[in-house]
Amino acid sequence: MTDTDFTLTSPMQVISKGANPLLGLTIVWHTDQSRIGEQFVGGNSAGLIELSRFLPLFCKPGKDGLALGHSGVSRDPIRIVRDNTNGVEILLPASRMVVELNGSEIHETRYLSAEHIAAGQILGLGRTILVCLHWMRCLPKNNPISGLLGVSSAAIMARDKIHQVAATDVPVLLLGETGTGKEIAARAIHALSKRTSTDLVTVNMAALNESLAAADLFGAVKGAYTGAQTTRKGLFAEAEGATLFLDEIGNTPSTVQPMLLRVLEGGDYRPLGAHKDQHSSARIIAATDQDLDSGSFNQALLRRLESFVIHLPPLRARREDIGVLIVHLLNSSVPLQVADAAISLPTSLITQLANYDWPGNIRQLAHVLKRAVLALQMGEAVSFDNLVRAQSERSRSDSRELKSEPAPPMPASKAHHKKPAELGEQTILAAMEHNDWRIKAAAQELGISRPSMYKLLETHTQIRRAEQIPEEEIRQALETNAGVVERCASMLRTPSEALRRHLRGLGLLE
């Protein structure tokens, strides 16, 4: 798949194809948190950058530039020399400052290929300041979107695309690995659209019961199928005039894919058992972490979905954003009394976090930081290996060798994942309980894919389908738990997402 062509509103924002990229330096960590994310962007031709306490000047868009300024950084500069092949040579200063490259101390000149720079290289200065050396494919720009942070080219361009497409009714396909923020992007598109006053209706396509998927999406009249005792309103009707977010679109049951194609082509659909069509004005946003070009996914439907494609990059492809994300996650995800805990995180740990490849992306980083804060509150030493639970995998900070060509990264699909067959029923039950009966979060904790998690739930002897639970039992659970769906899900032992949809179908939840 390729992105839909688009035109940016600000001139000279994106570097033209074929041109040399800009060489960027981004502050990943600094004792002054407000400096994290500041950048220096060099020219796009061969040249020299000197990195010292006094030069270059780092800034954020619209702000004045400041040097690193820290006393731990040498007055004598590190010389970063770019050649005509876009390779970069790092020459060390004549000082006692400790210089690290990707977590390893270096004592002599190092050469980095263009591919190395594309992967992001973390320079440690005096065991205090971390700077990422990377390419910039566009100029720095202040184009904020709530929840979608980052100063990298990838983050800037993704936000530009969201701003552009939000004003239209064009279907959008969000592509990205698990944990890259696809749902946040969908909510941003809806919030910036003319439909912002309506609800964003969300459905996880992988969680649909194949036999009832058509009824869930398009509705059904009374008597359309066994158990249809009343006319049922579908999600397309619920999203009338609003936005319908089809998450995990790659797991859509094959029986309803042609029906989705028909809605996207003309807006018409027919509820199960009905005698005439209905028309939908819902705006469609879909998301997946799968390659829809391969496999059995309906290719005509794919062509319709990809009217406008936004790729959300993995964290390992935007290493320069990690410091910005760490500060944001710590300050927004933990109690206020430990909101300054970022200061107490050791620089050695930040170095490892910045060099790790993050198979679970931003979601995994958030979980690791929460565990780190809890450990610090308890007075415990924080261990990178324990925090990421990666005994079977070495992080990139330990394994990345700087040769003329970079070693290929470990495929994300092979990192951390366990065999579903190895998981017992009590382990699965505990994971669901720990995560408020949310399937995605439980799968992440167990280290398995979501499709595998759905299969385990299908065969689990103690976990039930929401639609198979007697209505009277559901009403009793709602009364007992004051209408809190997650508590009801725990009591009924059924996934909370499916229970929420079922409650809406029964008219028990607004």
Side-chain angles (χ1 to χ4, degrees), residues 40-233:
F40 169 79
V41 179
N44 62 356
S45 59
L48 167 69
I49 298 174
E50 292 190 334
L51 178 61
S52 71
R53 187 186 305 179
F54 306 116
L55 289 172
L57 301 183
F58 292 82
C59 65
K60 295 177 182 177
K63 303 293 184 180
D64 293 333
L66 290 173
L68 289 174
H70 193 277
S71 60
V73 178
S74 170
R75 293 181 174 88
D76 293 323
I78 296 174
R79 302 177 77 241
I80 300 171
V81 184
R82 179 176 181 176
D83 63 25
N84 56 12
T85 67
N86 288 331
V88 171
E89 199 170 31
I90 297 180
L91 294 85
L92 301 183
S95 73
R96 292 181 295 176
M97 178 180 68
V98 174
V99 179
E100 295 171 307
L101 186 58
N102 303 320
S104 299
E105 193 170 332
I106 59 174
H107 304 281
E108 58 187 15
T109 299
R110 289 296 182 93
Y111 179 80
L112 304 171
S113 68
E115 289 81 7
H116 279 100
I117 304 301
Q121 303 295 307
I122 301 295
L123 283 172
L125 310 177
R127 304 191 190 280
T128 305
I129 306 297
L130 299 179
V131 175
C132 184
L133 181 62
H134 58 94
W135 296 127
M136 285 293 288
R137 306 282 175 183
C138 65
L139 296 175
K141 180 180 182 181
N142 184 23
N143 61 344
I145 288 179
S146 178
L148 291 173
L149 303 178
V151 296
S152 64
S153 300
I156 293 169
M157 295 173 74
R159 290 195 297 265
D160 265 339
K161 283 192 163 189
I162 288 171
H163 276 292
Q164 181 189 4
V165 78
T168 75
D169 284 329
V170 173
V172 179
L173 179 60
L174 302 171
L175 299 178
E177 296 177 6
T178 179
T180 51
K182 296 186 292 296
E183 184 169 351
I184 294 174
R187 293 188 180 280
I189 294 170
H190 176 70
L192 293 168
S193 75
K194 60 188 178 184
R195 301 167 184 253
T196 185
S197 61
T198 65
D199 291 333
L200 174 68
V201 179
T202 300
V203 57
N204 188 317
M205 303 300 284
L208 293 178
N209 181 325
E210 186 160 1
S211 61
L212 295 175
D216 286 335
L217 291 168
F218 307 112
V221 300
K222 181 179 179 180
Y225 57 89
T226 303
Q229 299 178 356
T230 60
T231 296
R232 181 178 181 182
K233 185 179 179 181

Side-chain angles (χ1 to χ4, degrees), residues 269 318 340 503:
Y269 67 94
R318 44 183 292 214
D340 63 345
L503 289 172

Side-chain angles (χ1 to χ4, degrees), residues 270-320:
R270 181 169 296 191
L272 293 187
H275 298 296
K276 63 179 181 178
D277 289 345
Q278 292 187 13
H279 187 79
S280 173
S281 64
R283 195 261 180 89
I284 303 298
I285 302 174
T288 185
D289 58 4
Q290 300 180 27
D291 179 5
L292 300 183
D293 276 316
S294 60
S296 58
F297 193 82
N298 186 306
Q299 293 300 290
L301 173 58
L302 174 57
R303 299 287 89 83
R304 287 288 180 179
L305 288 171
E306 62 181 6
S307 296
F308 197 99
V309 179
I310 300 177
H311 291 270
L312 296 173
L315 199 47
R316 62 182 174 276
R318 44 183 292 214
R319 208 170 296 277
E320 58 269 36

